[in-house]
């Protein structure tokens, strides 16, 4: 029968992005060396200028008398023939060559525009899932956060512009409003207030709030009366509101609310995921249906794999996470050394996780799965072979027909929305839980543990209750090792049945 065993490897590091941290440090050092070289060059040029200034001041007071001295005549010839050429060469020296060369080497590994956009959308995903307002992000007030990190006015503006360019006016409003709020608090900024008001007013209009769109556009006109769009937008918005009021038989223009735009001011548009609200509530720890009665049916025990010789002397610690469907967790399933080896093998191969298009069958990336994955074979390293053997010992199933060991890394904002792991064809610091919207369970990652469940009944029918999702990682990085054990080959290890029972 199909089953899934998930190892939680680590919850503290950010995979390949850690390399970028050290790359940036190296570039900063290179930049400092360039500045030092430029300062040294400038000091030399200043020394030349000071020395020549003294000479020319004396020579111009009495040019003929100055040149009457043969030494002065000689030194003038020497300066103009030799020394000024040396000065020219000094000025033409470019101390930036080393820095530019270093930049060129590292630039190939830099994030591109798509990466930056993805990072911005990850923050918005966290904002929605964990109900965090833009000010919390801007001020670095996040649960589980150990480092201070703030977003400037220009950062907030760029976030809003990213959303705007994706026609995501809901988030464009939130971030442009935050940029405006910090501007009004007289924080330093490069972007103009007119640009912020321009994006914000139109986004508010797109959210259906005409009175506020009018108020914001009037502020824009007051700042820049010659703005190419503001005047036309204002007349259009006022005409549209007047028409709406006439249709409602109301007189006068509705005043714009003075309350600042917050996370709940406008309703987030619905999307393709029907259980979005349930999924996100479970990620926040809300709506988990673990009652006292249900908890009383959960136990912990030592598991020796039905007297498996490899588990007799050191049985696994097994804990019930859920009763029906039965989900169990195995403690100390992987050692720290095994975790580091698995990460070492996987890290060079990590690539954006893909899903198979149900129509074309082609593997493609999808917005609902934001992670990087690698696949490891047992023959590659004794550690992988040992892990595969341990899976067989724990589950009593064969891995001969199982898929390769998948290593997935979910960085900040990484997620996998509700999905099934079967088909009909044959310690994060904050966030990152695996949730089951159908029966209201939330399973939290713990380093070195393994979680196991069957996603097919004994009859071979899919257990649709096991539709699950990986919540966005709020703080930290979640490493997961997955092993999908296929139905084929388990006929004598988990005998088939005719009814849909666990």
């Amino acid at each position: 029968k199909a089953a899934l065993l998930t190892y939680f490897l680590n919850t503290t590091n950010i995979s390949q992005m850690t390399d970028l941290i050290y790359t940036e440090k190296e570039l900063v050092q290179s930049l400092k060396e360039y500045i030092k070289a430029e300062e040294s060059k400038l000091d030399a040029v200043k020394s030349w200028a000071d020395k020549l200034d003294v000479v020319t001041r004396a020579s111009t007071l009495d040019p003929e008398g100055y040149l009457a001295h043969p030494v002065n005549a000689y030194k003038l010839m020497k300066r103009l023939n030799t020394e000024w050429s040396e000065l020219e060469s000094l000025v033409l020296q470019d101390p930036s060559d080393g820095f530019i060369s270093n930049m060129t080497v590292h630039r190939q590994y830099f994030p591109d525009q798509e990466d930056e956009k993805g990072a911005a959308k990850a923050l918005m995903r966290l904002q929605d899932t964990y109900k965090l307002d833009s000010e919390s992000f801007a001020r670095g007030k996040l649960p589980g956060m150990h480092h201070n990190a703030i977003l400037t006015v220009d950062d907030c503006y760029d976030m809003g512009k990213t959303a705007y360019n994706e026609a995501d006016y809901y988030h464009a409003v939130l971030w442009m409003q935050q940029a405006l709020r910090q501007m009004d608090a007289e924080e330093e900024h490069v972007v103009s207030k007119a640009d912020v008001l321009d994006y914000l007013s139109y986004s508010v209009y797109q959210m259906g709030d005409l009175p506020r769109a009018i108020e914001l556009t009037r502020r824009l006109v007051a700042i820049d009366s010659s703005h190419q769009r503001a005047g036309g937008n204002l007349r259009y918005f006022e005409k549209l509101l007047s028409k709406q009021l006439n249709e409602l038989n109301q007189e006068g223009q509705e005043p714009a609310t003075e309350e600042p735009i917050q996370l709940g001011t406008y309703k987030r548009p619905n999307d393709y995921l029907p259980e979005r609200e349930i999924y996100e509530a479970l990620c926040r720890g809300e709506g988990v249906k673990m009652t006292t009665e249900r908890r009383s049916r959960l136990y912990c025990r030592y598991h020796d794999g039905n007297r498996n010789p490899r588990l007799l002397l050191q049985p696994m610690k097994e804990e019930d996470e859920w009763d029906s469907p039965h989900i169990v967790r195995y403690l100390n399933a992987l050692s720290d050394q095994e975790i580091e080896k698995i990460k070492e093998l996987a890290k060079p191969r990590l690539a954006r996780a893909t899903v198979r298009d149900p129509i074309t069958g082609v593997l493609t990336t999808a917005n609902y799965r934001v992670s990087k994955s690698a696949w490891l074979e047992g023959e590659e390293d004794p550690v992988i072979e040992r892990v595969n053997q341990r899976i067989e010992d724990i589950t009593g199933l064969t891995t001969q027909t199982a898929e390769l060991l998948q290593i997935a890394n979910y960085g900040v904002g990484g997620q996998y929305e509700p999905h099934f792991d079967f088909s009909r064809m044959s310690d994060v610091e904050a966030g990152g839980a695996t949730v089951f919207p159908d029966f209201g369970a939330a399973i939290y990652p713990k380093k070195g543990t393994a979680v196991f469940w069957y996603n097919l009944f004994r009859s071979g029918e899919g257990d649709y209750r096991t539709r699950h999702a990986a919540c966005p990682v709020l703080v930290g990085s979640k490493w997961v090792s997955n092993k999908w054990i296929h139905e084929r080959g388990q006929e004598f290890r988990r005998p088939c049945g005719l009814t849909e029972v666990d």
Side-chain angles (χ1 to χ4, degrees):
K1 306 298 178 182
L4 173 68
L5 188 137
T6 297
Y7 285 100
F8 296 110
L9 302 183
N10 198 324
T11 60
T12 56
N13 296 322
I14 304 280
S15 182
Q16 293 163 324
M17 288 182 67
T18 56
D19 293 341
L20 296 178
I21 293 289
Y22 293 107
T23 295
E24 188 172 43
K25 181 180 179 181
E26 182 181 333
L27 288 175
V28 169
Q29 183 58 39
S30 180
L31 181 60
K32 286 182 177 179
E33 291 170 359
Y34 158 65
I35 293 171
K36 188 176 180 180
E38 283 282 16
E39 288 174 341
S40 177
K41 169 186 169 181
L42 192 57
D43 286 341
V45 173
K46 283 181 178 178
S47 178
W48 272 92
D50 291 341
K51 182 178 70 174
L52 292 169
D53 184 48
V54 172
V55 171
T56 55
R57 244 188 275 138
S59 64
T60 54
L61 286 175
D62 181 10
E64 290 188 8
Y66 178 83
L67 291 175
H69 198 299
V71 171
N72 287 339
Y74 163 72
K75 292 185 72 171
L76 175 63
M77 296 298 105
K78 180 185 176 185
R79 283 198 305 273
L80 293 175
N81 181 55
T82 305
E83 294 180 6
W84 276 99
S85 295
E86 291 174 359
L87 180 59
E88 181 183 30
S89 298
L90 176 62
V91 172
L92 290 175
Q93 282 180 6
D94 191 351
S96 67
D97 287 346
F99 174 69
I100 297 299
S101 177
N102 207 7
M103 278 284 292
T104 302
V105 169
H106 289 295
R107 188 180 295 279
Q108 59 184 316
Y109 304 110
F110 281 12
D112 58 19
Q113 188 172 2
E114 280 300 305
D115 293 319
E116 182 180 345
K117 182 173 73 173
K121 291 170 76 172
L123 290 189
M124 297 173 204
R125 190 158 53 245
L126 294 174
Q127 184 175 29
D128 294 338
T129 304
Y130 299 106
K131 289 190 174 179
L132 301 167
D133 58 61
S134 303
E135 187 168 14
S136 294
F137 266 111
R139 303 305 180 196
K141 299 175 182 176
L142 301 181
M145 183 61 71
H146 303 304
H147 298 278
N148 292 327
I150 62 170
L151 292 172
T152 65
V153 172
D154 298 289
D155 290 333
C156 294
Y157 170 77
D158 289 337
M159 288 282 294
K161 195 172 179 181
T162 295
Y164 183 92
N165 290 338
E166 295 280 304
D168 178 2
Y169 301 110
Y170 171 78
H171 287 106
V173 167
L174 292 176
W175 287 101
M176 289 298 177
Q177 168 69 27
Q178 182 59 29
L180 187 61
R181 182 184 291 116
Q182 293 178 214
M183 259 185 189
D184 290 341
E186 299 185 352
E187 290 188 19
E188 291 185 4
H189 53 85
V190 175
V191 64
S192 71
K193 183 173 284 191
D195 283 342
V196 173
L197 286 168
D198 187 18
Y199 280 106
L200 180 57
S201 59
Y202 188 78
S203 298
V204 165
Y205 157 69
Q206 287 289 344
M207 294 306 296
D209 190 347
L210 274 172
R212 197 190 295 261
I214 290 170
E215 187 269 332
L216 289 166
T217 309
R218 284 174 178 167
R219 285 183 64 181
L220 173 56
V221 171
I223 292 173
D224 184 1
S225 59
S226 62
H227 193 279
Q228 60 178 349
R229 288 182 302 276
N233 283 353
L234 181 58
R235 289 188 292 273
Y236 176 72
F237 294 159
E238 289 176 335
K239 182 178 179 181
L240 199 58
L241 181 60
S242 176
K243 180 181 178 182
Q244 290 181 2
L245 294 175
N246 287 335
E247 291 174 353
L248 297 172
N249 295 319
Q250 295 181 10
E251 296 183 359
Q253 180 175 310
E254 291 184 354
T257 175
E258 294 297 324
E259 295 181 5
I261 301 170
Q262 304 289 358
L263 195 60
T265 301
Y266 302 124
K267 187 178 185 301
R268 182 172 39 144
N270 294 328
D271 65 5
Y272 53 84
L273 190 62
E275 67 262 67
R276 170 73 64 188
E277 291 186 8
I278 298 174
Y279 157 52
E280 292 182 349
L282 287 171
C283 290
R284 294 190 298 271
E286 302 168 7
V288 178
K289 298 176 182 177
M290 178 52 71
T291 62
T292 303
E293 180 184 356
R294 170 168 266 146
R295 193 181 300 279
S296 68
R297 297 196 293 266
L298 305 182
Y299 298 94
C300 58
R301 65 194 70 82
Y302 284 107
H303 175 71
D304 64 9
N306 292 323
R307 307 290 294 173
N308 186 299
R310 282 178 289 272
L311 296 179
L312 281 176
L313 294 179
Q314 191 174 359
M316 296 296 297
K317 297 174 183 177
E318 182 183 81
E319 293 180 350
D320 291 330
E321 286 279 353
W322 207 261
D323 54 351
S324 181
H326 193 206
I327 302 175
V328 297
R329 185 193 297 269
Y330 296 100
L331 280 65
N332 303 321
L334 289 176
S335 68
D336 288 348
Q337 292 77 14
E338 288 171 329
I339 288 172
E340 292 309 313
K341 186 60 180 180
I342 291 172
K343 289 168 61 179
E344 177 189 326
L345 292 169
K347 190 174 178 180
R349 308 185 208 175
L350 286 174
R352 175 73 187 273
T354 57
V355 293
R356 193 171 297 280
D357 187 297
I359 299 176
T360 65
V362 176
L363 288 174
T364 182
T365 58
N367 290 332
Y368 59 83
R369 186 175 191 181
V370 186
S371 64
K372 288 190 172 183
S373 297
W375 300 84
L376 303 179
E377 298 189 43
E379 295 78 12
E380 294 184 49
D381 192 275
V383 168
I384 307 302
E385 190 63 49
R386 191 160 65 242
V387 169
N388 285 338
Q389 182 62 61
R390 193 172 303 149
I391 291 171
E392 289 194 356
D393 295 341
I394 293 172
T395 64
L397 303 174
T398 178
T399 60
Q400 294 302 309
T401 57
E403 296 185 19
L404 301 180
L405 193 67
Q406 184 207 38
I407 312 302
N409 177 239
Y410 297 81
V412 172
Q415 65 166 9
Y416 195 176
E417 290 176 357
H419 62 283
F420 297 109
D421 282 328
F422 59 82
S423 66
R424 304 298 296 172
M425 298 172 59
S426 11
D427 290 350
V428 171
E429 295 171 66
T434 298
V435 297
F436 295 79
D438 185 79
F439 52 90
I443 312 298
Y444 291 91
K446 295 179 185 177
K447 183 180 178 182
T449 67
V451 174
F452 174 75
W453 68 85
Y454 288 102
N455 53 35
L456 294 184
F457 291 109
R458 288 184 179 273
S459 64
E461 292 297 315
D463 186 348
Y464 288 91
R465 298 173 300 171
T466 61
R467 181 172 167 85
H468 60 284
C471 295
V473 176
L474 180 57
V475 180
S477 174
K478 182 173 72 171
W479 285 82
V480 175
S481 172
N482 295 312
K483 189 74 171 181
W484 283 273
I485 305 172
H486 288 203
E487 179 182 23
R488 182 168 54 87
Q490 316 302 336
E491 293 82 358
F492 299 104
R493 294 174 180 250
R494 189 189 185 222
C496 295
L498 299 177
T499 59
E500 292 186 358
V501 294
D502 293 346

